[in-house]
Amino acid sequence: MESSKKPHILIVDDKPEAEEGRAGVISALGLRATVKTPQEVTIADIQSASVVAVDEYLEWDGSLHPDTPAFFPVDGLAVIRVLQRHAWANQVSPAFVLRSGELAKLGAALPAGIRESALATQHDLDWAFNKNDERESRRIVELAAATHSLRQVFAGDTEWDGGAGWLKLEESDWSKLAMSQVDACRPPDSSVADYTAGSSWLRWFTQKILPYPSFLLSDLHASLRLRLSPRSFADVIASDSELSHLLRPFQYRGHLQDFCGRRWWRAGIEMLLDEIVADADWETSETDALSMRLSELHGDELDFTEEAHPVVVINSDYVESPWVIDSAEAVRLSPDLWPVFADEPWASIEDVRDDATLKVLVAKEDRARI
């Protein structure tokens, strides 16, 4: 790809020399990267950027301070506001992200499990990155490639296909079901997506889809649907068994596939479940049918969840437990920011009784159970 056609990442930092190494890492990953101080950024930089990444804390030369402090950008968030307005005036839509080494301090009141996406929502950003995350450069590259792709789609003559192409959803026996599940999550299609050159779609996908179980599932939620223990699910995926090959087409391979960890198409998993249950003897329970058929496909004995109605539980930070429990031992939650179209969140009754913050999140219809 020609250098001028590669996604461009603009890093805005008051100490540009300290970020040259990161720019080098990004370049090694196949994208262009430029590092500038806030006062060096030009309109041309904004027009060419797929991602504008701004440091949270900025130290300014005293000579740059105006006489009226109210009109001086106090931090990176304020600088982003200025750059966003210039982007709007020039009809471009790069992804604006904050980079901070103190996200926990900035978002102290927000649940740690969704802090990055919640901060982005709160401050009208596309994302908020932790500078101490060793995967930050790679994740910024993923975001830039996704933004660049959306910009090309909405700037061209190709009709928007509801996101199937961008999600890299290939035609299959379950692809129509997958797109119906995408639509059920209320993506900003048509005029809204077109008006924002795709940036509204990007925010919807990063902030409302990837952090929560919906039409895409994490390893834990995928294993739950198959009633496999998380350990057995990991063993299957790492193997070369028939079951592993059967599951591979269900793995999400579209843009931002590694941004929040591996994801799986719910529709593919559900199609497999339906086929297994349909082929089983009518007197066989779903759990037994899955146990026998999945172990047969894997060629070795697998561990399955023993709970009659297994659910994934979270704590007050929205962090999922690495195991499942039965719904009889859990209560439903109504947490802030949780999308209405995502799978209903649960917490263990024991945790709720020990955590006042979690107790407040319990859904009204389940409060009598604690």
Side-chain angles (χ1 to χ4, degrees):
M1 184 183 294
E2 294 179 19
S3 178
S4 60
K5 295 182 180 180
K6 293 179 180 179
H8 175 218
I9 297 170
L10 174 64
I11 300 174
V12 182
D13 198 288
D14 57 327
K15 296 180 176 62
E17 64 281 354
E19 296 301 324
E20 290 298 339
R22 189 172 304 279
V25 171
I26 291 171
S27 297
L29 292 172
L31 276 66
R32 294 185 295 142
T34 303
V35 184
K36 289 192 173 185
T37 62
Q39 57 268 37
E40 292 175 331
V41 176
T42 66
I43 297 299
D45 292 327
I46 298 172
Q47 290 174 321
S48 67
S50 295
V51 168
V52 178
V54 183
D55 188 33
E56 179 188 1
Y57 296 110
L58 302 169
E59 295 179 5
W60 300 88
D61 186 325
S63 63
L64 295 175
H65 283 262
D67 294 332
T68 307
F71 297 109
F72 189 76
V74 296
D75 58 14
L77 286 169
V79 170
I80 287 176
R81 288 291 176 273
V82 175
L83 300 182
Q84 282 176 324
R85 296 310 300 166
H86 282 298
W88 180 261
N90 286 274
Q91 298 182 327
V92 292
S93 300
F96 285 94
V97 304
L98 184 73
R99 300 179 61 235
S100 174
E102 298 186 9
L103 277 192
K105 179 179 179 180
L106 180 63
L110 298 170
I114 59 165
R115 183 168 288 146
E116 292 181 336
S117 61
L119 277 170
T121 300
Q122 182 180 18
H123 293 287
D124 190 28
L125 305 170
D126 291 280
W127 200 256
F129 286 102
N130 181 356
K131 292 176 68 173
N132 299 320
D133 180 1
E134 61 181 16
R135 296 183 60 248
E136 186 202 15
S137 296
R138 186 170 293 277
R139 296 178 77 203
I140 289 177
V141 165
E142 277 197 83
L143 191 66
T147 305
H148 184 73
S149 176
L150 279 171
R151 181 182 292 180
Q152 288 183 313
V153 170
F154 285 95
D157 298 326
T158 305
E159 184 178 352
W160 178 244
D161 61 1
W166 189 83
L167 295 168
K168 298 185 180 179
L169 177 63
E170 298 181 357
E171 188 171 344
S172 65
D173 294 339
W174 50 272
S175 57
K176 288 185 178 179
L177 173 60
M179 284 310 298
S180 70
Q181 293 177 349
V182 172
D183 291 339
C185 294
R186 304 176 184 177
D189 282 336
S190 305
S191 57
V192 173
D194 187 61
Y195 178 67
T196 61
S199 63
S200 59
W201 171 277
L202 182 74
R203 290 192 179 192
W204 166 80
F205 188 70
T206 55
Q207 299 174 19
K208 298 298 182 183
I209 300 302
L210 289 180
Y212 307 96
S214 58
F215 65 86
L216 294 180
L217 302 173
S218 66
D219 282 8
L220 181 59
H221 282 274
S223 65
L224 173 66
R225 295 293 295 158
L226 294 168
R227 289 186 171 269
L228 281 170
S229 70
R231 181 184 295 275
S232 279
F233 183 78
D235 290 342
V236 168
I237 300 307
S239 74
D240 194 37
S241 70
E242 184 178 353
L243 178 57
S244 177
H245 285 274
L246 194 61
L247 292 175
R248 285 175 190 175
F250 307 152
Q251 186 175 342
Y252 174 66
R253 300 288 188 180
H255 285 288
L256 299 164
Q257 60 180 294
D258 296 319
F259 196 71
C260 291
R262 185 165 52 195
R263 293 293 183 269
W264 302 85
W265 285 100
R266 175 192 290 269
I269 299 290
E270 290 181 343
M271 184 200 69
L272 176 61
L273 292 175
D274 290 343
E275 290 179 349
I276 291 175
V277 173
D279 290 342
D281 188 276
W282 68 274
E283 294 181 344
T284 304
S285 68
E286 177 178 316
T287 300
D288 289 341
L290 287 173
S291 176
M292 289 186 291
R293 183 57 178 152
L294 293 181
S295 293
E296 178 185 354
L297 288 168
H298 184 55
D300 198 359
E301 187 175 348
L302 295 169
D303 293 329
F304 291 83
T305 56
E306 298 179 355
E307 291 76 13
H309 303 285
V311 294
V312 173
V313 294
I314 63 173
N315 61 21
S316 56
D317 270 326
Y318 296 17
V319 175
E320 294 179 346
S321 168
W323 56 80
V324 299
I325 65 174
D326 194 274
S327 60
E329 302 172 6
V331 287
R332 290 165 292 181
L333 305 178
S334 295
D336 294 339
L337 302 178
W338 198 277
V340 295
F341 50 74
D343 286 358
E344 200 167 34
W346 295 77
S348 77
I349 294 176
E350 183 180 353
D351 287 346
V352 168
R353 289 172 176 168
D354 293 338
D355 188 335
T357 302
L358 190 59
K359 188 174 184 179
V360 174
L361 304 180
V362 176
K364 291 181 179 179
E365 56 269 30
D366 275 8
R367 289 178 183 173
R369 298 181 57 215
I370 57 176

